[in-house]
Amino acid sequence: MKKFYLASASPRRAELMQRMGLRFEVRPTHVEEDDSGSAGPEQMVLENARLKAATLSAQVPDALVLGSDTTVALDGQALSKPVNLEDARRMLRMLSGRTHTVYTAVSLHWQQGGLAHSFVERSEVRFQELDDARIDAYFALVNPLDKAGAYGIQAGRDLIIDDVSGSVENVMGLPIQVLELTLQELGFDFWN
């Protein structure tokens, strides 16, 4: 097997895989994701990651495909991408001064080899107390509309985040430490 595909349009995931030194191509899938969280946030990201990987794997059965999904969860409720800036502001107010969980699921599929391996990683993020001025300052740096929970950890982190327990890369959208171990355990070598 020579091909490894990332079934995601996320520039953050591609950047993290590049940082790992992996050889891969980006081939986003266009699937209907479930963002309701009705089965719980962990199960939601797991099913979405599996759906992305399985969909692309059916098109390229001789390649390894990685599907992934991330969500922010507070009190067991998934906070998906905000619909507008007011929704983003509402989410940051909910997260203000509290600790929440970020779940990222990774699903690796290789149809020809009969492989479908998935896992979920979690990190805990504690937010600072946020007032409207701090939220405005954060929004001046970061577009919250394309991020689960209306925030990203890459820019403006010191404005909103107090502490992260677990993988920071998991919060960004891909737990690279666990992914590296998993690829090695499964016998794949896509390193440059």
Side-chain angles (χ1 to χ4, degrees):
M1 181 194 347
K2 293 182 172 49
K3 291 285 189 182
F4 185 17
Y5 292 111
L6 171 61
S8 171
S10 166
R12 293 171 292 282
R13 287 193 185 104
E15 177 189 319
L16 287 166
M17 288 177 68
Q18 287 166 351
R19 193 190 316 167
M20 289 175 69
L22 292 170
R23 290 183 323 275
F24 68 98
E25 291 178 38
V26 175
R27 291 229 357 221
T29 55
H30 303 287
V31 296
E32 189 68 37
E33 293 182 50
D34 173 17
D35 288 332
S36 70
S38 57
E42 187 170 355
Q43 193 62 35
M44 179 188 80
V45 294
L46 191 57
E47 291 306 318
N48 285 338
R50 286 178 178 154
L51 178 63
K52 292 174 191 177
T55 300
L56 182 56
S57 189
Q59 298 167 23
V60 288
D62 59 339
L64 181 64
V65 174
L66 186 153
S68 187
D69 193 41
T70 301
T71 198
V72 168
L74 182 65
D75 300 330
Q77 175 190 355
L79 300 180
S80 298
K81 294 174 184 173
V83 294
N84 55 36
L85 279 176
E86 194 47 47
D87 193 32
R89 190 176 299 282
R90 176 190 65 80
M91 287 184 187
L92 290 191
R93 284 187 190 122
M94 285 174 63
L95 297 170
S96 176
R98 300 192 59 199
T99 298
H100 63 272
T101 305
V102 176
Y103 295 99
T104 298
V106 174
S107 192
L108 296 164
H109 285 235
W110 174 29
Q111 188 169 316
Q112 210 169 58
L115 175 77
H117 179 85
S118 304
F119 62 89
V120 178
E121 187 69 12
R122 62 188 292 164
S123 300
E124 303 292 323
V125 180
R126 189 171 66 240
F127 259 39
Q128 299 175 26
E129 294 285 344
L130 306 179
D131 57 18
D132 287 343
R134 191 171 285 246
I135 291 172
D136 289 340
Y138 181 71
F139 285 175
L141 289 175
V142 175
N143 173 11
L145 299 182
D146 68 341
K147 295 167 182 63
Y151 80 93
I153 199 165
Q154 303 87 299
R157 176 182 178 172
D158 23 334
L159 279 173
I160 60 168
I161 294 173
D162 194 29
D163 186 50
V164 176
S165 176
S167 166
V168 170
E169 291 82 6
N170 186 57
V171 179
M172 290 174 70
L174 194 66
I176 61 175
Q177 300 85 353
V178 179
L179 175 59
E180 183 170 346
L181 287 172
T182 302
L183 288 170
Q184 289 170 351
E185 286 171 2
L186 294 172
F188 294 111
D189 183 3
F190 287 102
W191 280 270
N192 290 320

